[in-house]
Amino acid sequence: MNESFGTRLRARLDAYGPLCVGIDPSPALLHAWELDDAPAGIERFSRTVVESVADVAAVVKPQSAFFERWGSRGIAVLERTIADLREAGTLVLLDAKRGDVGSTMTAYAEAYLDRGSPLAADAVTLSPYQGFGSLEGAITSAAANDAAVFVVTRTSNPESADFQRPVAGQVLAGAVAANAGHSPFGPVGLVIGATLRRLDLPLDDLNGPILAPGMGVQGATPADVARLFGPVRHAVVPSVSRAVLADPKRLRARVLRYRDECAAHLSPQTAAHL
């Protein structure tokens, strides 16, 4: 890889449309697919998702927790899933939400962003609640490896608002500083829930991508994403998981439907008519 994550993401969004598809092999979904809640079931589930969506989704997001719960066997499946996605050319965003300081954060960065790691993804989610400065090692590693980090900023779970709102501005300021001078996107993205009723952050100067989870089962629609993010819609990557994963026979069709609806609502032409 010689192109930055921002360059690769912009190319994928332009070619495939704005959508991130999750790989969440939860017990409930495994049972719905009539698979065993075991490493073999997780592998079958993950490979089916990869085969179904890798050529139609801009970004795919494995949820690390559902693999980790099976220890080394689950991690081995996660490694293969990441390798399969990268071989297919899909951008891989590993949803791990790691957060720590100093050498520990550097170690997380080596695990998830270093090109030589078996778990290396194109980007990883991080938690900033030990201070935005605690993410420095991961941000530095992301830039050096043509990768990115997505920092939890404003999520849509009800208990998050009072806790996150006071520090969200600091997270945004840190991201703006880290992304300065990069084009088309810097190495620091934000995670902002698509189900928020209103956006209380000025994102115009972010110069980075925005992961917007919450479509489908959580209640948000592509129209809600467009309404919420308005002027920065070009930088938004809406994410959907359970709503498309519930039925393996309809998986690809549902992904295509969400992708096309997101493209329609988030296109510059649509914005011009609002």
Side-chain angles (χ1 to χ4, degrees):
M1 288 185 298
N2 295 314
E3 293 181 319
S4 70
F5 174 84
T7 298
R8 300 199 312 279
L9 176 62
R10 183 70 272 160
R12 293 284 302 183
L13 294 176
D14 291 343
Y16 295 93
L19 187 67
C20 172
V21 177
I23 300 183
D24 294 14
S26 68
L29 284 172
L30 291 170
H31 293 152
W33 283 38
E34 299 182 347
L35 296 172
D36 291 335
D37 183 10
I42 292 173
E43 183 167 18
R44 175 76 177 275
F45 180 98
S46 300
R47 285 191 168 178
T48 300
V49 177
V50 173
E51 291 168 0
S52 299
V53 311
D55 63 333
V56 295
V59 184
V60 177
K61 180 175 68 68
Q63 170 50 258
S64 185
F66 291 122
F67 297 86
E68 292 176 35
R69 64 197 181 92
W70 283 99
S72 61
R73 291 180 295 164
I75 294 297
V77 175
L78 179 59
E79 290 178 4
R80 289 192 292 272
T81 300
I82 291 173
D84 289 345
L85 287 167
R86 301 199 74 164
E87 184 177 352
T90 309
L91 288 181
V92 186
L93 170 54
L94 184 60
D95 198 351
K97 296 184 180 72
R98 297 297 190 255
D100 216 310
V101 295
S103 59
T104 307
M105 177 52 75
T106 299
Y108 280 136
E110 290 175 0
Y112 301 127
L113 299 172
D114 190 292
R115 295 179 189 178
S117 169
L119 287 170
D122 295 286
V124 64
T125 57
L126 299 179
S127 174
Y129 296 111
Q130 288 179 301
F132 191 87
S134 69
L135 308 181
E136 181 178 357
I139 295 171
T140 299
S141 178
N145 286 283
D146 297 318
V149 300
F150 283 78
V151 184
V152 172
T153 306
R154 288 284 280 114
T155 56
S156 52
N157 52 307
E159 64 272 25
S160 69
D162 291 340
F163 182 79
Q164 293 173 350
R165 192 178 290 115
V167 299
Q170 297 178 48
V171 174
L172 174 60
V176 169
N179 290 335
H182 291 272
S183 179
F185 298 123
V188 180
L190 303 182
V191 181
I192 300 176
T195 58
L196 294 175
R197 297 189 66 178
R198 64 184 182 87
L199 193 62
D200 48 12
L201 289 170
L203 298 175
D204 301 67
D205 296 327
L206 173 61
N207 193 33
I210 302 159
L211 178 69
M215 284 197 310
V217 172
Q218 294 182 55
T221 67
D224 292 328
V225 175
R227 172 192 55 78
L228 184 64
F229 292 100
V232 293
R233 65 181 62 205
H234 67 283
V236 175
V237 187
S239 180
V240 64
S241 297
R242 286 174 289 171
V244 299
L245 296 174
D247 183 353
K249 295 179 181 179
R250 301 174 64 190
L251 171 58
R252 186 178 177 89
R254 286 179 172 177
V255 167
L256 288 170
R257 188 193 75 192
Y258 271 102
R259 184 195 70 174
D260 293 347
E261 288 185 10
C262 286
H265 283 282
L266 295 171
S267 71
Q269 291 79 13
T270 301
H273 289 86
L274 294 180

